[in-house]
Amino acid sequence: SQQGEEDPQALSIQEGENATMNCSYKTSINNLQWYRQNSGRGLVHLILIRSNEREKHSGRLRVTLDTSKKSSSLLITASRAADTASYFCATVTTTQGGSEKLVFGKGTKLTVNP
Amino acid sequence: NAGVTQTPKFRVLKTGQSMTLLCAQDMNHEYMYWYRQDPGMGLRLIHYSVGEGTTAKGEVPDGYNVSRLKKQNFLLGLESAAPSQTSVYFCASRTGSGSQYEQYFGPGTRLTVT
């Protein structure tokens, strides 16, 4: 079962524009992570935001987290053609047994046109 | 430092055949994971391991078995392949016992079952 759901499913923008992707989830989380996947490759971790954090920056990436709305957004500023990839949010939750699990959403496919 | 490697990269099986996918990591990570990725489905956890000699079921374990005889290796077995197991398989690993640590992914194995 998917915990995180990204929106939109696909996004096409021009180079230099900003790209915003959203992730909504259903249950309380420990933290939320964003990953990137280039076509035909494995996922690469981009950024992690803890449940007690509201905003985090890393280079051209800005992530926000609103636990009251159970949502997160990933903003990529001044996009480049090389940012073309699929982006996944992943939520970390604690199971009934006390262990933690990471659940991925279905992803947003971003295309940045030169 | 090769990170996470997967063998093979591609494989075509006939229904009923068996095979083993090998994942190796050279980062001394405790945790290792096997996921499958299907179009429009995101990543789904098949099995995981929290240390050498231990394995546990994930979200979609049926039809798969795993073994973690050595810390650096995590094997995924298909005893009797079915067309429904056509997918891209990713291995991942991470360090530590805390959920804040990112997962490192291999490049994937594309499996087709005819």
Side-chain angles (χ1 to χ4, degrees):
Chain A
S1 61
Q2 245 68 34
Q3 160 75 314
E5 294 287 342
E6 290 92 341
D7 171 61
Q9 291 185 343
L11 179 62
S12 181
I13 60 174
Q14 295 299 123
E15 209 165 23
E17 293 180 340
N18 295 340
T20 299
M21 289 156 272
N22 302 298
C23 172
S24 60
Y25 57 91
K26 298 173 184 174
T27 63
S28 297
I29 60 172
N30 300 333
N31 65 65
L32 185 144
Q33 304 177 23
W34 284 91
Y35 287 78
R36 165 192 168 130
Q37 183 181 32
N38 286 69
S39 181
R41 301 289 187 92
L43 278 71
V44 176
H45 182 267
L46 293 176
I47 195 166
L48 178 151
I49 186 164
R50 293 183 174 80
S51 59
N52 61 353
E53 297 176 316
R54 292 296 166 258
E55 187 171 313
K56 205 162 183 180
H57 297 254
S58 177
R60 293 185 295 113
L61 305 180
R62 172 178 168 250
V63 170
T64 62
L65 179 65
D66 187 335
T67 53
S68 66
K69 294 182 179 178
K70 292 186 170 58
S71 67
S72 173
S73 68
L74 171 67
L75 169 68
I76 304 174
T77 59
S79 64
R80 306 165 181 167
D83 294 328
T84 294
S86 290
Y87 292 83
F88 294 87
C89 71
T91 54
V92 178
T93 58
T94 301
T95 68
Q96 286 185 334
S99 61
E100 290 177 320
K101 67 174 184 178
L102 182 71
V103 179
F104 288 86
K106 297 179 182 180
T108 291
K109 189 170 184 178
L110 172 66
T111 302
V112 182
N113 302 299
Chain B
N1 200 345
V4 180
T5 58
Q6 293 183 231
T7 309
K9 289 186 170 53
F10 303 93
R11 186 71 186 268
V12 178
L13 286 179
K14 293 185 177 179
T15 297
Q17 287 184 321
S18 63
M19 78 163 296
T20 300
L21 282 67
L22 171 63
C23 175
Q25 52 92 5
D26 60 3
M27 297 173 283
N28 201 34
H29 284 173
E30 290 292 333
Y31 290 61
M32 296 187 75
Y33 306 83
W34 275 108
Y35 295 91
R36 61 177 289 174
Q37 185 177 34
D38 302 291
M41 294 293 291
L43 274 80
R44 293 182 292 170
L45 181 64
I46 304 171
H47 285 283
Y48 65 99
S49 169
V50 301
E52 182 178 320
T54 70
T55 62
K57 294 180 180 179
E59 182 186 353
V60 288
D62 294 342
Y64 306 95
N65 56 75
V66 288
S67 65
R68 183 98 181 268
L69 298 179
K70 293 183 179 179
K71 186 177 184 179
Q72 62 268 34
N73 296 337
F74 196 28
L75 278 65
L76 177 71
L78 286 73
E79 288 187 349
S80 181
S84 61
Q85 294 177 304
T86 293
S87 187
V88 181
Y89 292 85
F90 288 99
C91 176
S93 70
R94 73 171 174 91
T95 187
S97 57
S99 60
Q100 64 268 32
Y101 296 106
E102 64 190 82
Q103 291 191 12
Y104 294 80
F105 281 81
T109 294
R110 186 173 293 275
L111 175 67
T112 302
V113 183
T114 61

